[in-house]
Amino acid sequence: MFLCVCVPLAAVALTACSRDPTPPAEAPRAVKLEAVGSSAGTDDRLVAQVRQEQRAELGFEGGGRIASVAVDVGDSVRQGQILARLDPEPNRLRAEQAEANVRIAAADLQQQQTQLAQQQAMFEDGAASATTLTAAKTAFASAQARVRSAQSDLALARRGLRQAELRAPFDGSVVARLQQPDANVAAGQPVLQLEGRGRAQVTVALPSALAATLHPGQAATAYRAGAPEQALPLRLRSVSDRLDGGATVQALFESAADPAAGLRSGENLLLALPHAETQPLSVPLSALVPSMGNGKPMVFVYQDSNASVRRRQIVTGNAEGDRVQVRQGLRAGERIVAAGAAFLSDGQTVVPFHPATRLTGTASP
C-alpha cells in the first residue's frame, strides 16, 4: 500500500521540475544614434553679425584736453565735418616757438655763411690756415642742418594745429561717443566711432574644416531670428587665413539684399550655408572602437532591417575637437552608434535612445 502511494508522488514531482520557467531574454540595449553627414553634432545654422563696410574709430593724433565734441550718438555727419576739437593753445604755442627757432637758426646760418666767406678770402691771401677754413665750413654745414631741423619742427607744430580737429572721413553716423569735453586724452585714444552708409557686411566664425570647402563668390542665406520666413541673400567675399582660438576661421559675406531689408550694424543673423558634397564626413570620437585584430578604428553601423548593429572598419582623417573625419568606410546618411559603442558586440540587437524632454514629450525606452 505504501509503495503504491509513493510512485504517483514521484511522478508529480518530476512533472513539476520539468515545468520550471526559462530565464527571460536580455532586453535590447538602448544606444544613441547619429546620421553620418547630417547636422547632428554640427549645425549648419551659424550665428553671424552685421557690420558696415565703412567704419572708423577716431582719435586725435596728439594728446591734450578736449575743448569740445560737436556730435553725439545717432547724429549724421558729412565728410570733412568737424566733430571734436582739442584745446588749441598748447599747439599754438608750440607753433610760435617753432617759428622763433626757425628765425634763430636762419640768423645763425647767415652769420656762419659770412664767416665762411671771410675765412675763404683770408685763406686765399695766405692769412688763414687750412684748418681754420675747414672749421668754418663745418660750422656753416651745422648751421644749415639746424635750419632744416627747425623747419621740420615748425611743420610738425603746424600739423599739430590742424590735427587738433577731428573731421569725418566719410558720410555716415556716430555710433559711439567715448570721451567728453574737458577730458584729457592720450595720442590715438579713441574719442568717436563712426559708420558709413554703404553696403552691409556679415561676419561669422566658421569651423576650419567647413571654411576650407568655401570659395569667394559662393552664395549663402541669412535669416532673422524673429522673421525666419524672410531670406536675406549673401555672397562670400573672403575667408581669413588665421585660426582664431585654434579652431575657427573668420569669413566675410557681402549682403546682396534689397536696402529695404534694413540690415543694422551689430544685428545678429542666422547664417545657412549650402551643403557641399565635398565636405568630409565626420563622426564623434566616442563612436570609435579599436579592432581586435589590427587595432584600426571601427564603428557600429545600425541596421534598420533587423534593429541590430554591425561592426565596420573605417579610415579616419584629421581630428577637430571631439570629432574626427572619415575618409573611407561610411556613406552619408548611414546611422552609427555615437555613444556606448564599447559595450556592444557584432550583430547585437539595440533600440535607438530617445531622451525624454519637454520639447519632444517622449520617454526613453
Side-chain angles (χ1 to χ4, degrees), residues 207-241:
S208 58
L210 177 58
T213 67
L214 303 179
H215 54 83
Q218 188 169 351
T221 308
Y223 302 88
R224 285 187 170 95
E229 72 285 350
Q230 181 184 6
L232 304 171
L234 304 175
R235 192 165 299 279
L236 179 64
R237 176 180 174 180
S238 58
V239 178
S240 173
D241 293 330

Side-chain angles (χ1 to χ4, degrees), residues 346-361:
D346 194 32
Q348 183 175 346
T349 302
V350 298
V351 293
F353 173 69
H354 300 288
T357 68
R358 294 183 180 180
L359 297 177
T360 61

Side-chain angles (χ1 to χ4, degrees), residues 270-341:
L270 294 177
L271 178 66
L273 296 174
H275 291 277
E277 295 299 330
T278 58
Q279 183 176 348
L281 303 177
S282 67
V283 297
L285 290 172
S286 57
L288 301 181
V289 292
S291 170
M292 299 301 293
N294 52 21
K296 293 184 177 180
M298 306 185 76
V299 296
F300 281 97
V301 182
Y302 181 71
Q303 310 293 317
D304 291 291
S305 58
N306 56 3
S308 64
V309 290
R310 302 294 299 183
R311 192 189 298 261
R312 185 186 300 176
Q313 185 172 303
I314 61 174
V315 177
T316 57
N318 297 328
E320 182 177 332
D322 60 350
R323 301 185 68 82
V324 63
Q325 294 180 3
V326 178
R327 301 191 182 277
Q328 294 180 15
L330 289 175
R331 299 186 305 272
E334 289 187 300
R335 291 197 290 174
I336 55 100
V337 178

Side-chain angles (χ1 to χ4, degrees), residues 65-71 85 177 179-184 191:
R65 183 183 65 85
I66 298 177
S68 63
V69 180
V71 293
R85 286 186 173 94
R177 174 170 161 169
Q179 301 294 336
Q180 302 299 327
D182 294 323
N184 289 313
V191 177

